[in-house]
Amino acid sequence: MVLIPTHFLLRLSSIERDSGSKNEPRSGGSSIQSHVYQIARLTILAMKNFHTNKSILNRGCLVLRNLSLTPSFVKILGRTPGCVDMLLHCRQSCPRDVLVQRSARTIMLMIQTSAEKEHDRNSFELTRPFPVPSQERAGSSSAPSSSDVTKDR
């Protein structure tokens, strides 16, 4: 197993922010976009392997927080297996570490918001409302009559 030093991961996750504004296209610069999933996965793996080391948990939260500063990366974090579970573990394991508490909570809220937006975007709206029940049926009881039951069969 290859261990990547956390200071290297921290630097990798901050390259995207340092290399220009969000609106400028990046030309020839170092971009981590194609490696975000791998960075997140390796960070979470390191946090799992050293789940009792508060220093590793702290640095791991910083890496994930740096990644979450780019909105498109939040979706990737949400799809990374074990990310939310590890953030919850960090909050439980480091109750007095303000940085871990704030970072983990913020990332989880961002993932939740991103997932809700994605869900809203994927839901559909009816173009035509459901048909209104006829006047006869509206006045009758809600229990189906025997003739209704035999029609369905």
Side-chain angles (χ1 to χ4, degrees), residues 135-147:
Q135 294 293 351
E136 300 169 8
R137 295 201 62 142
S140 67
S141 69
S142 60
S145 66
S146 61
S147 63

Side-chain angles (χ1 to χ4, degrees), residues 67-83:
L67 291 174
S68 74
L69 295 174
T70 304
S72 62
F73 295 173
V74 174
K75 292 177 187 176
I76 295 170
L77 291 176
R79 294 181 186 136
T80 304
C83 184

Side-chain angles (χ1 to χ4, degrees), residues 50-153:
F50 300 98
H51 60 91
T52 58
N53 186 323
K54 293 182 180 186
S55 178
I56 297 289
L57 296 177
N58 177 293
R59 298 322 183 283
C61 279
L62 284 176
V63 171
L64 298 175
R65 180 64 181 121
N66 283 346
L67 291 174
S68 74
L69 295 174
T70 304
S72 62
F73 295 173
V74 174
K75 292 177 187 176
I76 295 170
L77 291 176
R79 294 181 186 136
T80 304
C83 184
V84 173
D85 292 335
M86 185 48 62
L87 292 169
L88 288 169
H89 171 74
C90 289
R91 291 200 68 191
Q92 291 171 349
S93 295
C94 307
R96 291 192 172 102
D97 188 333
V98 176
L99 185 78
V100 168
Q101 293 295 316
R102 189 176 346 145
S103 295
R105 182 176 186 277
T106 301
I107 297 165
M108 288 188 295
L109 286 171
M110 292 173 81
I111 289 172
Q112 182 180 11
T113 302
S114 174
E116 287 171 354
K117 285 180 183 176
E118 189 72 23
H119 176 72
D120 290 346
R121 200 173 303 128
N122 290 336
S123 64
F124 65 93
E125 293 182 26
L126 295 173
T127 55
R128 201 175 332 164
F130 285 112
V132 178
S134 66
Q135 294 293 351
E136 300 169 8
R137 295 201 62 142
S140 67
S141 69
S142 60
S145 66
S146 61
S147 63
D148 291 338
V149 174
T150 55
K151 287 180 189 175
D152 292 341
R153 292 183 185 172

